[in-house]
Structures are given as structure tokens and as C-alpha cells.
Amino acid sequence: MITAKSVKELREMTGAGMMDCKKALVETEGNIEKAVEFLREKGLAAAAKKAGRVAAEGIVKTFVSADKKTAAMVEVNCETDFVAANEEFVTFATKVAELAANTSATTVEELVAEKMDGEATVTEALTALIAKLGENMTVRRFVKFNIENGAIASYIHGGGRIGVMVEVACNVESDVLEEVAREVCMQVAAANPLFLSKEQVDNEALEKEKEIYRVQALNEGKPENIVEKMVMGRIQKYYKEVCLLDQAWVKDGDKSIAKFLEEKSKEVGSPITITRYARFERGEGIEKVEEDFAAEVAKTMGM
């Protein structure tokens, strides 16, 4: 009989997850000592002890199907750039990206529960890797695109520091679609637009910008009757900074992305539109702990 008390006791002893502890006790018929060995053999106890450490390094990986109709992008994190460059870690992230493109999972929780290579789940494979490489690791996020009439392209910058996927729609099948999607990928990587178009700009963000520009104009001593005109002029400039379609193309500053699409649409004889894009930057939003190496050494030496 496996009790909640025994599961709790094993969890406190090993730091392993609740479900892992329960499984270990079932496998060992409730024997606590054997359950601890079971968890250690599986690498689960070791992995759990590392789980509290900040994993802000890592890699962004993409997978695009041969027909350019399905794609996925994942961010897998670890603690150091040394492990991020490890071949096994990179291979793991590559496999997760391909799995993400070919699964019906819509959340990270669902994705890591999927079988990998037909045997272990993503979680189990990750746990084994944590035990082997000695660092905390996480599958942080993923996104999946799928389109019938169009194409998807991806771009990885800086060895996995930044990843981008772009989906374009068109009623005509052409190699030009992948070319366009790839060019826009590089634009997104470089210029980091916040929105696709003016219509998608968040109302709250827009009003905030207007208020900032209004105060700036008043502080400059501009008369009230022209402040509003100045605000609208600056908002147009804001659109060119944050909206992908309004941004100047990084390869030709005299041309906007919208103009670039217009030219390519004429080339294929049908409108090409950007339906969506995604940009992951490794570790963005994760608060890194700045370690004082000298203090750590002093502590170890008992100074």
C-alpha cells in the first residue's frame, strides 16, 4: 500500500517530483531505500536537486517540413554556454523542435509528455541529460505554424541566440514564397518588430506613446494648437519602428517591408501576405543571478 506519507517522505529525501516518487514506490513495492536507489538510477533525484538553479543560457532551434507547410520553434535552456554548445544538448533541442512540429501538443506540459524516439518521453530524455551533463535544463517554450496556401521559413542567428519563423500566404505556389519568408525572417531578427501591422498595435501601448509625445511637445514649449499634429507625426514614426510592415527593409532602407511584399506579389502574379511571425531570443525575460566568484571561493575556504 503506497501512502501519501511515504510519497512525501521520499520526496523530502530526494527532492524528486511527486509523481516520480509515487512511481518509484510502486516499482519497489513501497521500500523507501530501494525507491531512493531507483530514483538515483533514473537520474531523477540528481535532476531534482538542480531544478532550482537558473537556466538562462541554451539554444533556440527550428524545424521546417520539406514542403514548407509546417514548422516549429523551441527554446531549450541550460545554465552555461558551455553546455549550450554540447553536441548532445544541441541534438536534444533539434529533436524537440521536430517533435513540436509533428505533434498535436499545444502547451509545453503536453509537449514534454510526448514520446521521443518512440521510447522515453521528452521529460525522461531531459532528465537523463541533466544527470549526465550536470546542469539544470528546461524546455521553456515553443510555437508551431501550419499553412495550406503559402510557405514557412525560419532563420537562426548567433548559433541559436535568436530564432525566427515567418509564415506567408499566397494562392500561387512558387519558390519565391520561401524566399520572401526567409528575407522577412532576417528582418524580424534584426529589427525585432513588436507588431505585424498598425491594426495590431495594442491600444493601451498606443495611448501611452501618445501621452509621452504630448508631454514632450508641451515641454518643448509648443503651442496647444500644434501639439496634436506633432503627436500624430511622432506616432507615424513609432509605427515605422514597431510595425513589421511599416519598417524600412534592412537590405534597402528606401523600401518598406510592405513595398517589398508588393513587388514580390507582382513577380508571382498574386498577393503575398505575412500571416504571422515569431521571434525567440534565448533567455529573454529570465532574471539571471549574478554570482560573486570571489565570495564563493572565500566561503568554500572558510574565510
Side-chain angles (χ1 to χ4, degrees), residues 180-214:
V180 169
R182 193 174 299 280
E183 290 287 357
V184 177
C185 276
M186 288 187 279
Q187 174 76 25
V188 172
N192 192 15
L194 302 179
F195 308 97
L196 174 58
S197 64
K198 295 175 184 177
E199 291 70 32
Q200 291 186 4
V201 175
D202 177 72
N203 230 14
E204 189 177 336
L206 190 60
E207 289 305 316
K208 186 177 178 181
E209 288 299 316
K210 284 181 179 178
E211 185 56 33
I212 290 170
Y213 297 147
R214 192 172 286 112

Side-chain angles (χ1 to χ4, degrees), residues 57-78:
E57 293 296 331
I59 195 168
V60 177
K61 276 286 182 180
T62 60
F63 174 84
V64 182
S65 61
D67 63 2
K68 316 300 178 189
K69 303 294 184 185
T70 302
M73 179 165 61
V74 301
E75 179 185 356
V76 182
N77 297 120
C78 57

